[in-house]
């Protein structure tokens, strides 16, 4: 043990005498999917906004990890593991136990000329935490290629050659209890018990190849509930290969007897993997001549309003936009349109405004643009035509134009003639689907794939009938519905019993109507088979001024549990409930958005859900949520309460082509009956906010694209 401490101290002393910067070097990812050596952490941080997905395998252990660099110094990780466990202090082993964990690391300082970077971290922060560890670690660059790391760990990192806790006032560490309720914050463990030293080196040979060596302080003693791994030696060695930027492949020799493989794939939300601007260039601004600028009216016989409308409709169709209404006077043109192509409403506005300069008579100086969604106008943006002509192709044009436009509520301007083209009333699509639920209601991994048939019929611009039918090609043996407990009905834990007959099922069939009751107000009423488990009625009212960071909403639902065959019946469970929430939404700025929902959930429990999201200018969104209700930890079961991490990546971020679609996933604890909500489509705030001042301002740089 003295040799280990001496080696670590010598390494730290060596760090202090050399110039370098570990935080600027290539970030090495460990087998835990976090910045680190092989098993041990480092004080490195990836660039802010980096999202890393990692897969690692060794005999008896598989890990899948998502790590996000929330700020330049703070990172968070969510991990799924499949691990063999000792089920008794003998050699009996349970294979394939499913684990979930959550990590946090904060880098305390930037590396200096002589001072290493220090970081403090928690691995597997929730109980029971089979790999639960806390650590303080330092890393220092030596030259451009070598990084030396040393640290002290507790918990699983304090099992090999441990010594007395330097923070002795914190007391002993509680004994690991496999039966402890899963998912509660393990703060009673943090930095308690014996500690141990660890350290290592990483050397980057060139841009592609690197070497890693470490002394690991993790041990795996034979004990009930412990991972069935044997660490005969503390020394681990590995080689890393980066075939392309954003990809790290690793091969490691562990404990002197095991081989491990891992792959880590990263993207940065501040960058774009595909080239931007792959969409077709917009039409140029058609500048008026000096003589045309003096005109104060236009000849309706030469340019009839119907002709202007037809021309605008054709030009917008080229851009993937749909004309919904057009009013033209001698000096003003007011246009309403829907945008189904561009993620940024500002970019769509730029395209519409350019087209208007091509079509509108010269006397029209004022353009009023009104984007709409689901038949309701979202905002009204007034632009002077002369500003478009003056600023096109000038440096700083986007900022100058933004300072001159007026953004208001479209409802203040009253109705505008709307119509729906006959060919747009009915739409349908057929395609494959794949769902992977690592935390299904019974705690297992649920995989489903098949075909999905969707269709919609637009009755009026604000009223839509839509539905989805799916046919699974991976029928699975699912548990029958279980009886309700005395304290909480099975509002979600019976989800695995739904749609297991091998026949097509009705996922959803709804009639939805949207409205604008008054200025700053938006409404929704949805009736039918709302989701796979429930039908009924869902109503919503949202107050959201176009220029305000704050939004307030209320939702009230009456839900009836559907039959498990997912046909048209409601008789099997005889369960109905009135559920609803009041919600507050706030834009904190810099891409941060918060939402607080307070109310009654599907099981009749009362509580609240807090969500916070970080949305980048490229549309990448990473967020977390937590729900706590009056249901006790014991009644809820594994997970203790609902919590999770949500990741959404827009399609145009990957392809570079304009598209409003996105790829998303939720990494959560096991589905439980407490804190469960209806999965109703078309909730208001998401699409209303997109065209309001905050989001328009954030993406206004795309106006000229």
């Amino acid at each position: 043990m003295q040799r280990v401490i001496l080696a670590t101290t010598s390494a730290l002393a060596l760090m202090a005498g050399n110039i370098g910067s570990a935080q600027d070097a290539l970030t090495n990812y460990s087998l835990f999917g976090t910045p680190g050596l092989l098993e041990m952490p480092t004080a490195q941080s990836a660039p802010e906004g980096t999202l890393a997905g990692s897969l690692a395998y060794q005999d008896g252990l598989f890990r899948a990890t998502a790590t996000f660099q929330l700020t330049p110094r703070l990172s968070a990780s969510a991990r799924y593991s499949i691990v063999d466990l000792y089920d008794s202090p003998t050699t009996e082993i349970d294979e394939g136990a499913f684990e979930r964990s959550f990590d946090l690391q904060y880098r305390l300082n930037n590396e200096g000329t002589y001072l290493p970077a220090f970081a403090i971290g928690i691995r597997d922060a929730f109980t029971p935490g089979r790999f639960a560890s806390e650590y303080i670690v330092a890393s220092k660059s030596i030259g451009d290629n070598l990084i030396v790391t040393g640290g002290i760990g507790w918990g699983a990192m304090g099992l090999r050659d441990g010594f007395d806790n330097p923070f002795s006032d914190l007391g002993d560490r509680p004994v690991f209890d496999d039966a402890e309720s899963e998912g509660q914050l393990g703060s009673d463990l943090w930095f308690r018990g014996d500690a141990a030293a660890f350290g290592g080196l990483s050397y980057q040979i060139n841009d592609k190849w690197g070497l890693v060596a470490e002394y690991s302080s993790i041990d795996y003693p034979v004990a009930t509930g412990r991972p069935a791994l044997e660490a005969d030696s503390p020394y681990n060695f590995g080689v890393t290969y980066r075939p392309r930027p954003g990809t790290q492949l690793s091969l490691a020799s562990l404990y002197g007897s095991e081989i491990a493989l891992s792959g880590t794939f990263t993207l940065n939300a501040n960058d774009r993997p595909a080239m931007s601007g792959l969409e077709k260039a917009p039409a140029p601004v058609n500048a008026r001549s000096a003589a045309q600028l003096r005109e104060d009216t236009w000849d309706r016989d030469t340019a009839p309003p119907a002709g202007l409308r037809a021309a605008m409709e054709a030009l917008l169709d080229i851009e993937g936009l749909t004309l919904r209404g057009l009013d033209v006077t001698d000096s003003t043109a007011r246009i309403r349109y829907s945008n189904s192509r561009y993620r940024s409403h500002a970019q769509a506005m730029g395209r519409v405004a350019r087209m208007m300069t091509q079509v509108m008579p010269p006397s029209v100086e004022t353009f009023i643009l009104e984007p709409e969604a689901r038949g309701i106008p979202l905002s009204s943006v007034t632009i002077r035509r002369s500003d478009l002509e003056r600023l096109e192709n000038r440096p700083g044009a986007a900022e100058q134009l933004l300072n001159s436009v007026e953004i208001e509520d479209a409802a203040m301007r009253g109705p505008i003639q709307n119509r729906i083209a006959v060919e747009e009333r009915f739409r349908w699509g057929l395609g494959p689907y794949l769902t992977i639920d690592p935390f299904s209601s019974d705690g297992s991994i649920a995989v489903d794939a098949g075909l999905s048939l969707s269709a919609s019929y637009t009755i009026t611009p604000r009223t839509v009938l839509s539905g989805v039918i799916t046919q699974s090609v991976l029928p699975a043996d699912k548990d029958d519905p279980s009886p309700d407990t005395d304290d909480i009905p099975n509002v979600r834990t019976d989800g695995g019993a739904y749609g297991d007959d091998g026949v097509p099922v009705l996922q959803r069939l709804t009639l939805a109507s949207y409205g604008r009751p008054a200025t700053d107000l938006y409404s929704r009423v949805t009736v039918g088979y709302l989701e796979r488990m429930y039908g009924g009625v869902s109503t919503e009212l949202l107050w959201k001024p176009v220029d305000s960071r704050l939004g307030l909403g209320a939702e009230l639902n009456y839900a009836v549990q559907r039959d498990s065959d997912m046909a048209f019946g409601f008789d099997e469970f005889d369960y109905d409930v009135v559920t609803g929430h009041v919600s507050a939404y706030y834009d904190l700025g810099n891409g941060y958005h918060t939402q607080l929902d307070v109310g009654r959930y599907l099981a009749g429990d009362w509580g609240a859900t807090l969500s916070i999201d970080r949305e980048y200018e490229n549309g990448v969104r990473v967020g977390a949520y937590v729900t706590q209700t009056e249901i006790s930890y014991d009644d809820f079961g594994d997970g203790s309460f609902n919590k999770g991490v949500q990741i959404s990546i827009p399609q145009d971020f990957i392809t570079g082509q304009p598209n409003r679609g996105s790829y998303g996933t939720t990494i959560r604890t096991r589905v439980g009956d407490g804190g469960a909500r209806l999965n109703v489509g078309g909730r208001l705030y998401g699409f209303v906010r997109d065209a309001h001042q905050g989001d328009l301002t954030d993406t206004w740089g795309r106006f000229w694209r």
Side-chain angles (χ1 to χ4, degrees):
M1 183 62 217
Q2 290 179 341
R3 293 198 305 270
V4 175
I5 297 176
L6 178 61
T8 303
T9 305
S10 299
L12 292 173
L14 185 61
M15 294 177 193
N18 292 273
I19 298 175
S21 179
Q23 64 261 16
D24 296 332
L26 286 173
T27 304
N28 190 77
Y29 284 88
S30 71
L31 298 173
F32 281 85
T34 60
L37 297 165
L38 294 170
E39 286 193 319
M40 311 312 296
T42 66
Q44 278 189 294
S45 298
E48 188 266 339
T50 297
L51 178 63
S54 177
L55 301 174
Y57 174 79
Q58 66 190 81
D59 188 30
L61 179 60
F62 172 81
R63 296 187 182 101
T65 307
T67 296
F68 186 66
Q69 193 68 38
L70 296 163
T71 72
R73 296 189 181 186
L74 177 64
S75 66
S77 305
R79 182 179 306 106
Y80 304 152
S81 302
I82 301 175
V83 57
D84 295 347
L85 301 174
Y86 289 112
D87 65 358
S88 69
T90 65
T91 58
E92 296 179 15
I93 295 174
D94 287 335
E95 296 183 355
F98 200 67
E99 302 291 322
R100 28 175 137 26
S101 56
F102 180 77
D103 302 355
L104 285 171
Q105 176 172 299
Y106 184 77
R107 180 165 50 82
L108 300 172
N109 65 297
N110 291 331
E111 181 181 336
T113 302
Y114 303 105
L115 186 68
F118 286 88
I120 185 170
I122 299 173
R123 178 181 289 175
D124 211 351
F126 294 103
T127 57
R130 305 183 195 281
F131 298 95
S133 307
E134 305 80 52
Y135 58 87
I136 298 173
V137 62
S139 295
K140 185 70 178 74
S141 296
I142 300 175
D144 296 330
N145 303 87
L146 178 64
I147 298 177
V148 181
T149 292
I152 299 175
W154 289 259
M157 292 186 191
L159 294 178
R160 183 181 294 277
D161 294 331
F163 50 84
D164 290 341
N165 192 344
F167 305 137
S168 57
D169 292 342
L170 295 178
D172 296 332
R173 194 178 189 91
V175 176
F176 176 84
D177 184 1
D178 185 43
E180 188 172 355
S181 181
E182 184 178 344
Q184 299 183 53
L185 201 64
S187 55
D188 59 333
L189 306 176
W190 295 348
F191 299 98
R192 295 189 176 189
D194 288 348
F198 63 85
L201 310 168
S202 63
Y203 182 76
Q204 197 65 35
I205 301 171
N206 52 40
D207 290 343
K208 294 184 179 296
W209 294 95
L211 299 174
V212 183
E214 71 176 11
Y215 175 92
S216 173
S217 60
I218 296 179
D219 201 356
Y220 301 98
V222 177
T224 301
R226 290 290 189 184
L229 305 172
E230 296 183 8
D232 296 330
S233 169
Y235 299 103
N236 300 325
F237 304 92
V239 59
T240 62
Y241 176 63
R242 291 178 169 84
R244 52 176 293 176
T247 301
Q248 176 190 309
L249 306 176
S250 300
L251 173 65
S253 170
L254 304 178
Y255 329 131
S257 59
E258 299 291 335
I259 296 295
L261 300 170
S262 72
T264 301
F265 310 92
T266 66
L267 60 83
N268 193 297
N270 295 299
D271 302 324
R272 183 183 291 273
M275 292 179 59
S276 62
L278 295 181
E279 65 268 27
K280 294 181 180 179
V285 172
N286 184 18
R288 295 166 294 178
S289 66
Q292 290 175 324
L293 288 172
R294 292 191 292 269
E295 296 182 15
D296 56 10
T297 188
W298 51 282
D299 187 347
R300 270 69 170 174
D301 294 329
T302 303
L308 298 179
R309 182 185 183 98
M312 281 303 307
E313 191 169 23
L315 290 176
L316 292 186
D317 184 65
I318 295 174
E319 295 289 352
L321 308 171
T322 303
L323 182 67
R324 298 300 189 190
L326 180 65
D327 287 339
V328 185
T329 67
D330 284 335
S331 60
T332 301
R334 180 185 172 205
I335 187 171
R336 186 171 293 174
Y337 61 93
S338 60
N339 166 32
S340 60
R341 175 175 291 182
Y342 300 98
R343 174 176 51 81
S344 164
H345 277 292
Q347 185 173 5
M349 284 182 180
R351 301 274 170 145
V352 174
R354 287 177 175 87
M355 294 301 187
M356 293 179 75
T357 67
Q358 301 287 334
V359 173
M360 293 300 115
S363 66
V364 176
E365 165 63 14
T366 302
F367 294 163
I368 302 173
L369 283 65
E370 298 178 357
E372 75 165 38
R374 293 169 172 82
I376 55 176
L378 305 177
S379 60
S380 178
V381 180
T382 302
I383 303 174
R384 290 193 297 269
R385 185 174 184 174
S386 54
D387 287 339
L388 296 172
E389 296 168 334
R390 175 175 58 86
L391 294 173
E392 186 185 30
N393 300 322
R394 284 195 178 185
E399 182 178 358
Q400 294 181 57
L401 183 63
L402 179 61
N403 291 333
S404 67
V405 304
E406 296 180 11
I407 304 176
E408 302 172 300
D409 190 337
M412 298 174 59
R413 298 187 177 277
I416 192 172
Q417 181 183 357
N418 281 268
R419 70 174 184 135
I420 303 172
V422 174
E423 64 273 13
E424 290 182 342
R425 287 188 183 272
F426 180 73
R427 295 186 177 186
W428 67 279
L430 178 66
Y433 74 88
L434 171 66
T435 61
I436 302 175
D437 185 359
F439 292 137
S440 60
S441 57
D442 62 358
S444 63
I445 301 178
V447 180
D448 190 18
L451 292 176
S452 175
L453 174 65
S454 61
S456 66
Y457 184 77
T458 304
I459 301 171
T460 73
R462 300 183 180 186
T463 307
V464 179
L465 177 68
S466 62
V468 178
I469 296 174
T470 60
Q471 171 63 67
S472 175
V473 296
L474 292 177
D477 293 331
K478 301 180 181 180
D479 295 334
D480 293 331
S482 55
D484 293 347
T485 65
D486 292 337
D487 299 313
I488 178 171
N490 297 346
V491 296
R492 284 301 181 198
T493 49
D494 284 338
Y498 275 70
D500 62 350
D501 296 332
V503 298
V505 297
L506 181 65
Q507 291 280 353
R508 177 176 54 82
L509 179 62
T510 61
L511 179 67
S513 179
Y514 298 85
R516 292 296 312 269
T519 301
D520 300 332
L521 287 179
Y522 304 81
S523 66
R524 172 186 60 83
V525 178
T526 307
V527 61
Y529 298 88
L530 303 173
E531 50 146 291
R532 66 193 309 270
M533 290 186 68
Y534 291 92
V537 181
S538 174
T539 62
E540 185 182 5
L541 185 67
L542 173 69
W543 174 82
K544 176 63 176 71
V546 71
D547 59 350
S548 174
R549 293 177 179 268
L550 177 67
L552 299 174
E555 180 177 300
L556 183 64
N557 313 300
Y558 173 68
V560 184
Q561 192 165 358
R562 298 174 59 187
D563 291 348
S564 61
D565 62 4
M566 296 178 66
F568 295 97
F570 292 96
D571 301 325
E572 181 177 349
F573 295 96
D574 190 27
Y575 181 76
D576 64 289
V577 64
V578 175
T579 176
H581 292 77
V582 292
S583 303
Y585 312 89
Y586 195 77
D587 181 353
L588 297 172
N590 295 321
Y592 287 95
H593 300 270
T594 60
Q595 178 177 339
L596 176 64
D597 305 306
V598 180
R600 193 179 194 221
Y601 294 82
L602 275 174
D605 49 325
W606 294 83
T609 300
L610 176 64
S611 306
I612 183 167
D613 293 326
R614 172 73 189 277
E615 184 172 354
Y616 291 82
E617 292 184 3
N618 282 327
V620 175
R621 180 180 300 178
V622 179
Y625 70 91
V626 59
T627 298
Q628 183 69 69
T629 75
E630 59 188 332
I631 292 177
S632 69
Y633 291 161
D634 293 336
D635 288 335
F636 185 92
D638 283 350
S640 300
F641 51 93
N642 276 332
K643 50 191 173 293
V645 175
Q646 297 172 321
I647 301 171
S648 177
I649 300 175
Q651 291 183 18
D652 70 348
F653 180 85
I654 303 297
T655 66
Q657 297 284 358
N659 194 304
R660 288 187 63 82
S662 63
Y663 306 102
T665 188
T666 299
I667 304 171
R668 64 177 185 272
T669 55
R670 185 180 302 176
V671 174
D673 293 314
R677 295 187 66 175
L678 279 176
N679 297 321
V680 181
R683 285 190 167 110
L684 295 170
Y685 181 72
F687 71 85
V688 168
R689 191 199 79 187
D690 280 352
H692 278 197
Q693 182 169 302
D695 279 27
L696 285 176
T697 300
D698 289 343
T699 63
W700 193 259
R702 289 178 169 266
F703 182 92
W704 293 106
R705 291 185 54 173

